Amino acid sequence: MIIDMKYEDIVGEYKEVSLELYHSGVRKILYTEIETPYPDGKLIVSTTNPDGIITHVNQSFVEMSGYTEQELVGEPHSILRHPDMPSAAFQDLWDTVRKGDKWQGFVKNLRKDGGYYWVKAVVIPNFRNGRLVAYSSIRRKPSRTKVDESIRLYSTMF
Amino acid sequence: MSFLFTVSPDFTPDHLPGWYIFNSWLQKKTNLAIHLEIYNDFKGQREAILSDSVDLIYANPFDATMLVREKGFQPLVKAFGEADEVMIVTSVKNSVEEVVQLEKGIKIAFTEDPSVFMIGSILIEPSDLNETDINPFLLDTYVLVAKSLIKGEADVGFFLAEAFDSLSPLIKKKLKILVRSQIDVIHHSLMIGPELLNKKTVILKELVEMDGNEKGQGVLNSLGFTGWHEINENEMEFMIDLMDTLVT
Ligand SMILES: Cc1cc2nc3c(=O)[nH]c(=O)nc-3n(C[C@H](O)[C@H](O)[C@H](O)COP(=O)(O)O)c2cc1C
């Protein structure tokens, strides 16, 4: 299960949808058209357990997502899932990291306040003594060209 | 038998005497014969590492990955509050104000420091420049990088932030910072090699207690540090994982 979004958290005019998540059931999503630009020079870092439950986030993650660290740790990573992201992208992410490979892609993420931000994400499996213990992801600032390409591509994937 | 200690060649030149002072202090505290060898460049140091001559090293994050994975090194400590941050810098005369304004064909001055080049490349990615779009200009020192920008021989330079900060005010006045990374979790580490591992506990104890007395504080001061934190293996693995996600 995953917590629904709350009307009182939303900033600006919003739309409402029910989003079917593959791993966590249905979530009520409230989203706006307000973009938060990716800050220059920062990396957004998070780690999950093998099931995709968040175990660690850095300060930039907290600032960009709008959630507190306490709200994030213990939640599924799909707490950031934006309705404009095609589920095939995340299917590909999971297929890739489960094979032990590195996944890269451009992701539109959903903020607690309903807004969004684009990132260039890399996700890798973390092994200790040959055993999978976690997944981690680092996001960096994407170029506008790549974001525009992704917007076009993702809109054809529904 | 004497052990070999070396320092990643990206240290601030002002701190060179400090590393010799630190080495004397360490020898006295541990009763070990340790020889400090400073290599002029990354290539010389890399060769020493590959031939298994190094026992103790203040390593940049890039080398740390290789030292742990391939050479059986373990982390000891990191300096309080120190992180490897990178800056993209240009001349004040350059009209560019933001990384995204950088254009194809720009000439980038940098030193051989592998971590800095890696992070620098990530910092310019938002401008859609890839390796084939830039004209690399390799120089020996950060002072030369600064001068090449002032003279207009290069368009932008990659700096280790600490190296930029230690440039003279006169030089800094002629330069403009486009971006400074705020990564926080990537840092240099003092690391110990297989031959010295049986002394790890002793060395570690001396290091973490070093800021507790005046003598130790003086030595730290000559390195520009205030103290050492122990790095546990988990933390090190975490940093290595981060480095892995950054190299594309
Ligand atoms: C380390 C890691 C980081 C992830 N980061 C994100 C992210 O930033 N945004 C996102 O929507 N999904 C992210 N995911 C994918 C989610 O786990 C999830 O698959 C996705 O949000 C879609 O939800 P669903 O798979 O339940 O349908 C990440 C997964 C892992 C393993």
Side-chain angles (χ1 to χ4, degrees):
Chain A
M1 268 311 291
I2 187 163
I3 44 162
D4 277 333
M5 295 181 76
K6 298 194 192 74
Y7 296 102
E8 62 266 30
D9 291 334
I10 306 303
V11 178
E13 219 179 297
Y14 61 87
K15 289 189 199 135
E16 188 169 340
V17 287
S18 278
L19 196 58
E20 182 86 38
L21 295 167
Y22 185 79
H23 295 93
S24 327
V26 177
R27 186 185 191 207
K28 184 174 74 188
I29 300 279
L30 310 170
Y31 66 107
T32 74
E33 293 303 324
I34 302 170
E35 177 165 12
T36 302
Y38 195 108
D40 266 318
K42 294 200 182 183
L43 297 180
I44 299 176
V45 184
S46 64
T47 306
T48 71
N49 69 10
D51 299 323
I53 304 298
I54 298 173
T55 51
H56 169 266
V57 292
N58 75 348
Q59 186 53 32
S60 300
F61 193 116
V62 169
E63 285 163 18
M64 284 302 278
S65 69
Y67 291 99
T68 64
E69 186 178 347
Q70 291 83 335
E71 287 171 317
L72 291 163
V73 171
E75 286 296 313
H77 220 308
S78 47
I79 191 166
L80 301 187
R81 167 74 196 279
H82 196 282
D84 291 347
M85 282 299 294
S87 55
F90 297 112
Q91 183 68 50
D92 182 50
L93 181 161
W94 280 103
D95 289 348
T96 307
V97 296
R98 285 213 179 102
K99 273 192 299 187
D101 294 335
K102 179 194 285 195
W103 183 86
Q104 273 199 57
F106 295 88
V107 179
K108 183 176 186 175
N109 273 329
L110 179 66
R111 290 166 50 89
K112 183 182 181 180
D113 67 8
Y116 68 92
Y117 57 102
W118 278 95
V119 301
K120 175 180 177 181
V122 180
V123 183
I124 60 161
N126 304 143
F127 297 97
R128 300 285 181 272
N129 306 315
R131 207 170 58 89
L132 175 83
V133 293
Y135 294 106
S136 30
S137 173
I138 298 199
R139 297 89 178 167
R140 38 177 126 150
K141 182 171 174 152
S143 79
R144 205 62 230 177
T145 323
K146 288 288 193 295
V147 169
D148 292 341
E149 273 170 27
S150 307
I151 293 173
R152 253 177 281 130
L153 175 67
Y154 293 160
S155 69
T156 66
M157 290 170 68
F158 285 88
Chain B
M1 167 171 176
S2 141
F3 295 100
L4 195 140
F5 171 37
T6 186
V7 178
S8 179
D10 53 15
F11 61 86
T12 312
D14 290 351
H15 295 149
L16 178 61
W19 286 107
Y20 284 97
I21 298 168
F22 174 75
N23 190 45
S24 315
W25 173 89
L26 190 62
Q27 293 190 82
K28 209 177 290 160
K29 287 287 180 184
T30 58
N31 269 323
L32 294 166
I34 304 169
H35 167 71
L36 174 60
E37 180 79 39
I38 298 284
Y39 297 94
N40 288 329
D41 52 29
F42 285 90
K43 195 161 147 280
Q45 187 179 75
R46 193 46 82 102
E47 280 164 11
I49 294 170
L50 291 177
S51 68
D52 296 330
S53 323
V54 176
D55 302 301
L56 193 65
I57 180 170
Y58 190 60
N60 67 62
F62 209 85
D63 289 341
T65 304
M66 183 264 280
L67 289 161
V68 169
R69 293 248 167 102
E70 293 165 33
K71 292 291 173 187
F73 274 65
Q74 289 185 15
L76 289 166
V77 289
K78 60 169 274 203
F80 286 162
E82 296 284 317
D84 284 36
E85 303 294 354
V86 171
M87 286 160 75
I88 309 290
V89 175
T90 186
S91 156
V92 283
K93 290 190 206 130
N94 197 323
S95 61
V96 169
E97 298 291 338
E98 279 181 88
V99 163
V100 290
Q101 296 169 333
L102 296 175
E103 288 179 358
K104 273 187 190 197
I106 53 160
K107 194 164 175 183
I108 300 184
F110 60 102
T111 68
E112 233 181 342
D113 195 331
S115 328
V116 173
F117 190 75
M118 182 189 79
I119 299 171
S121 305
I122 289 172
L123 293 175
I124 62 166
E125 264 181 11
S127 62
D128 256 325
L129 298 174
N130 61 40
E131 270 159 51
T132 56
D133 300 325
I134 62 165
N135 190 351
F137 185 36
L138 178 64
L139 293 166
D140 280 336
T141 65
Y142 287 114
V143 172
L144 291 176
V145 172
K147 286 187 175 155
S148 75
L149 298 175
I150 294 168
K151 285 194 222 143
E153 290 165 357
D155 302 302
V156 293
F158 290 174
F159 284 86
L160 186 64
E162 193 189 297
F164 181 87
D165 292 339
S166 67
L167 292 171
S168 79
L170 206 67
I171 290 183
K172 271 194 272 193
K173 233 172 53 191
K174 296 181 178 152
L175 298 172
K176 173 166 68 181
I177 301 164
L178 297 181
V179 57
R180 179 184 185 118
S181 71
Q182 292 169 267
I183 299 174
D184 297 333
V185 286
I186 292 177
H187 51 77
H188 276 53
S189 321
L190 188 61
M191 305 180 69
I192 188 168
E195 297 287 317
L196 253 182
L197 274 184
N198 59 348
K199 300 280 185 232
K200 182 176 172 182
T201 325
V202 183
I203 299 177
L204 191 58
K205 177 173 180 294
E206 292 299 339
L207 290 167
V208 295
E209 290 174 0
M210 191 171 179
D211 61 329
N213 59 76
E214 221 171 290
K215 180 85 205 317
Q217 284 163 6
V219 177
L220 283 164
N221 196 25
S222 66
L223 290 171
F225 300 152
T226 53
W228 300 107
H229 267 303
E230 177 175 356
I231 307 174
N232 65 39
E233 274 174 58
N234 243 340
E235 265 172 81
M236 194 67 185
E237 289 292 338
F238 180 61
M239 188 175 88
I240 290 174
D241 286 337
L242 291 189
M243 297 295 288
D244 266 348
T245 61
L246 293 176
V247 291
T248 38

